[in-house]
Amino acid sequence: MKIKALYPGTFDPITYGHGDIVARAAVMFDSVIVAVAASPGKQPLFPLETRVQLAQQVLSHLDNVSVCGFDCLLAEFAKQCEALVLVRGLRAVSDFEYEFQLASMNRALMPHLETVFLPTATRYTYISSSLVKEVARLGGCVDQFVDPIVIQALRTKLCLT
Ligand code: COA
């Protein structure tokens, strides 16, 4: 049986931390779909289409990885995609409580959907998309956190030179 995994997130924008989780999941599962949530409540900097395009470009070297946007319940999207596994990265113990709640809710909504947690690589444990945006907005260097394609997109969006 081929196992398809879904890696959901807002990816506003995708970082090297996300990329690390995707690359490792791509080794574990037959295919991985990076599911980019619309997440209107988070008022993303980049529109959904741009976030999908950036993830596609950054992850284009991974053959069994595809990227899709979605604007519905995650469990419903997983069902549509016929994904059996949700992948989530854990950066610190503080992530666990929320992640446990999310996994339990998703399993209640779709009993066959299992959540697999991957520990985030140590060098990326303190990264979040919001922090990257803040550092970039204030003129800091984000080279070690995001792909050059994302840096260019941030420069354009934030009107930086
Ligand atoms: N490396 C670097 N950063 C990471 C990371 C990693 N490995 N893992 C997470 N992060 C960052 C993310 O970039 C995000 O940063 P931000 O808050 O500054 O944007 C932060 O950590 C939180 O990540 P996450 O918990 O994955 O939040 P998210 O907004 O990216 O994704 C969804 C949350 C989309 C999975 C969730 O809201 C969802 O499922 N939405 C769909 C609607 C739904 O079904 N809701 C009911 C769920 S039961």
Side-chain angles (χ1 to χ4, degrees):
M1 187 174 74
K2 301 246 182 214
I3 300 191
K4 196 185 277 181
L6 207 65
Y7 177 46
T10 303
F11 303 106
D12 184 43
I14 186 164
T15 67
Y16 283 145
H18 296 127
D20 168 66
I21 299 284
V22 180
R24 285 156 59 204
V27 175
M28 295 170 65
F29 302 104
D30 295 293
S31 60
V32 177
I33 300 174
V34 174
V36 183
S39 301
K42 288 185 89 168
Q43 300 187 306
L45 174 68
F46 293 104
L48 179 59
E49 267 173 39
T50 309
R51 285 181 275 137
V52 169
Q53 281 167 7
L54 288 174
Q56 276 168 340
Q57 289 172 303
V58 168
L59 302 170
S60 61
H61 61 291
L62 297 168
D63 290 341
N64 60 340
V65 172
S66 57
V67 182
C68 272
F70 75 103
D71 193 6
C72 60
L73 206 55
L74 177 59
E76 185 52 41
F77 188 65
K79 193 173 165 188
Q80 284 169 24
C81 298
E82 299 179 334
L84 295 177
V85 174
L86 283 181
V87 174
R88 298 283 292 163
L90 281 183
R91 290 168 301 169
V93 179
S94 51
D95 279 348
F96 183 75
E97 206 169 325
Y98 170 67
E99 291 300 333
F100 188 73
Q101 201 180 5
L102 209 70
S104 305
M105 177 59 84
N106 282 319
R107 201 167 55 243
L109 294 170
M110 192 182 159
H112 299 300
L113 191 60
E114 284 295 350
T115 299
V116 169
F117 298 116
L118 293 182
T120 296
T122 319
R123 61 190 183 283
Y124 301 131
T125 46
Y126 57 93
I127 303 181
S128 75
S129 299
S130 300
L131 264 185
V132 167
K133 285 179 283 189
E134 187 175 330
V135 171
R137 192 176 282 120
L138 296 172
C141 175
V142 292
D143 290 16
Q144 54 183 315
F145 311 127
V146 291
D147 188 281
I149 292 167
V150 174
I151 294 179
Q152 191 49 53
L154 281 166
R155 280 203 186 115
T156 307
K157 191 76 185 175
L158 299 171
C159 303
L160 302 170
T161 50

